[in-house]
Amino acid sequence: MEKGKKGLSEFERYKQKMNIQRKFHSLLGVLMVSALVLSLVAGLDYFSGSRFGNLFRSGFAGSGGYPVPLLNHSVRQMEPVNWDVALLSDSSVLIFDNQGSERLSLSHGCATPVLKSDGGRLLCYDQGGTQYHMITSSRLSHSGTAEGAIHAADIASNGSAALATSSTKNATLVTFYDEFGNVTYSWKNSNMVSAIALSPDGRQAAVVLYSAREGEMITSVVLLNLTKSTVEKPVFSIEIAGEFGYYVAFRENTLALITDQSVKSIDQMGRIRAEYSFNGQQIQMFADGGSSTVLVLGNYRYMRASQLVSLDEKCRVLYSSQLDLSIDSIRANGNGFYLLSEGSLSHYDYKGGLISQINLPGAIAWLPLGQNLYAATYEELQRHLVR
């Protein structure tokens, strides 16, 4: 009782204060750990798709390793899925990480399969058929059957997709889907479609159509705004006489159109701002590097050597050279362009400077991705370290 009257001693007050501080620090620690866990959970999808997420995931994988056997898989195409690599074979879509661990194996059931990719999204469709699949790096998002034969298709990095089909009802029906496979818009035209592209954010679509008038080929380019309630009224529609357009892509503020006679840069008003003419040469192959285009041109009639040309986004020539060797395939990205010839892969910058060379004997498909170069033969998938 005497002690209660006098209150706590200095030592007891100090001890009580320390107990309160310990409880506060413990509570604060629990809150911080909880916030960290919530942040990790919320960012798991982004982290998993990033380059560091891929390295982290691969480090704990229990299987895999390059080279990866490709038994019963004849590879037709290779595309990036973030920092993973997707292989399209006659029967399946296979996705591997950079350590060779299989992330996904999907039977596509397509007679003539084609693979499109953007960011962490894939679209596999049957060219001339009706089957299609929307895929991420680790799962099948949606599969479906189109209303007609698929002639062109594309997918955006946000997961939205577009299928351009034809049937007895419609010469061209373009159907747009969200990332879950739900139909958002449809657009019809009486001409036949040859190419389609979605903007990276999925807010616009460019459609290339062809028709004939008085015996002359007519190419039409139509830009659609997918943010409005209807897409019936296009942003613009232009006609190009005497040329057949078969590829279109979005640049920063323009469209890049490749025809059988030229490369054109078209602005958002539908005006042709720049053009590179092939001058009668035939286009043998091309590669889209995002802001640059690489062409291999030739003239079979006069048996001349092929011409290699790289263009910037304004169709200005960055590099041009005559080729004395045959090119098997080409690719381009932000690091330059790549040529595969007789089992040797050469990497150049867009001004023609040689960066590196590597032998790829037996390669039937290949993909440069970061510091890695993936190559598929009839037997295996290889990974090479490149500059």
Side-chain angles (χ1 to χ4, degrees), residues 53-63 84 97-101:
N54 184 36
L55 293 172
F56 178 85
R57 181 180 63 249
S58 301
F60 287 92
S63 62
D84 296 331
D97 64 18
N98 71 342
Q99 295 299 310
S101 297

Side-chain angles (χ1 to χ4, degrees), residues 252-266:
E252 185 174 354
N253 295 306
T254 61
L255 292 176
L257 173 69
I258 299 180
T259 76
D260 60 338
Q261 298 184 34
S262 66
V263 177
K264 302 179 192 296
S265 176
I266 305 171

Side-chain angles (χ1 to χ4, degrees), residues 296-313:
V296 177
L297 306 174
N299 195 323
Y300 297 111
R301 178 179 299 179
Y302 300 105
M303 301 299 292
R304 294 176 182 172
S306 299
Q307 181 184 10
L308 175 70
V309 181
S310 68
L311 308 173
D312 66 11
E313 60 183 359

Side-chain angles (χ1 to χ4, degrees), residues 15-259:
K15 184 177 180 181
Q16 188 180 59
K17 181 178 179 180
M18 292 299 295
N19 287 334
I20 293 173
Q21 289 182 350
R22 278 196 295 269
K23 291 179 180 179
F24 174 77
H25 290 156
S26 297
L27 179 61
L28 181 61
V30 170
L31 292 175
M32 292 178 66
V33 170
S34 299
L36 179 61
V37 170
L38 289 174
S39 298
L40 288 173
V41 171
L44 183 60
D45 286 341
Y46 172 79
F47 177 75
S48 179
S50 68
R51 186 178 188 181
F52 295 107
N54 184 36
L55 293 172
F56 178 85
R57 181 180 63 249
S58 301
F60 287 92
S63 62
Y66 286 99
V68 176
L70 295 176
L71 301 178
N72 302 319
H73 290 290
S74 179
V75 178
R76 304 168 63 105
Q77 190 180 344
M78 296 174 66
E79 297 296 335
V81 193
N82 286 326
W83 294 101
D84 296 331
V85 56
L87 277 66
L88 176 67
S89 75
D90 291 335
S91 60
S92 305
V93 176
L94 306 170
I95 300 179
F96 296 93
D97 64 18
N98 71 342
Q99 295 299 310
S101 297
E102 185 179 288
R103 300 205 65 199
L104 180 71
S105 177
L106 168 71
S107 178
H108 54 64
C110 300
T112 310
V114 178
L115 198 61
K116 289 291 188 77
S117 71
D118 192 343
R121 306 283 182 167
L122 287 172
L123 174 64
C124 178
Y125 66 94
D126 193 358
Q127 182 81 47
T130 60
Q131 298 296 313
Y132 68 92
H133 311 280
M134 298 162 62
I135 307 166
T136 70
S137 61
S138 59
R139 66 184 179 89
L140 173 66
S141 299
H142 174 73
S143 287
T145 302
E147 294 186 22
I150 304 172
H151 295 293
D154 199 17
I155 191 166
S157 58
N158 67 349
S160 59
L163 297 177
T165 64
S166 67
S167 65
T168 55
K169 294 181 179 179
N170 301 290
T172 290
L173 172 65
V174 183
T175 307
F176 299 94
Y177 303 84
D178 63 17
E179 61 180 312
F180 305 108
N182 302 311
V183 176
T184 55
Y185 299 99
S186 61
W187 182 79
K188 299 177 182 179
N189 197 276
S190 59
N191 296 327
M192 294 294 294
V193 67
S194 58
I196 189 170
L198 288 172
S199 62
D201 58 9
R203 297 168 65 88
Q204 291 184 318
V207 185
V208 181
L209 306 143
Y210 65 93
S211 59
R213 183 186 304 147
E214 297 179 353
E216 185 178 40
M217 176 69 66
I218 304 294
T219 288
S220 300
V221 181
V222 180
L223 181 65
L224 303 175
N225 186 345
L226 304 181
T227 64
K228 295 185 176 181
S229 58
T230 178
V231 296
E232 293 305 316
K233 184 178 181 180
V235 178
F236 70 74
S237 178
I238 64 170
E239 290 186 350
I240 302 169
E243 299 185 44
F244 177 75
Y246 55 83
Y247 181 80
V248 66
F250 280 84
R251 299 292 192 242
E252 185 174 354
N253 295 306
T254 61
L255 292 176
L257 173 69
I258 299 180
T259 76

Side-chain angles (χ1 to χ4, degrees), residues 287-364:
D288 183 356
S291 60
S292 301
T293 305
V294 180
L295 309 166
V296 177
L297 306 174
N299 195 323
Y300 297 111
R301 178 179 299 179
Y302 300 105
M303 301 299 292
R304 294 176 182 172
S306 299
Q307 181 184 10
L308 175 70
V309 181
S310 68
L311 308 173
D312 66 11
E313 60 183 359
K314 295 183 179 180
C315 299
R316 295 176 298 198
V317 176
L318 298 173
Y319 176 70
S320 178
S321 176
Q322 295 295 317
L323 298 176
D324 295 327
L325 46 82
S326 61
I327 302 299
D328 299 317
S329 55
I330 64 175
R331 296 194 77 126
N333 57 26
N335 297 322
F337 63 90
Y338 304 76
L339 307 177
L340 179 65
S341 175
E342 299 177 353
S344 177
L345 184 71
S346 302
H347 178 199
Y348 298 87
D349 63 32
Y350 284 107
K351 293 185 177 180
L354 180 62
I355 297 175
S356 64
Q357 284 184 313
I358 186 172
N359 290 325
L360 293 180
I364 55 176

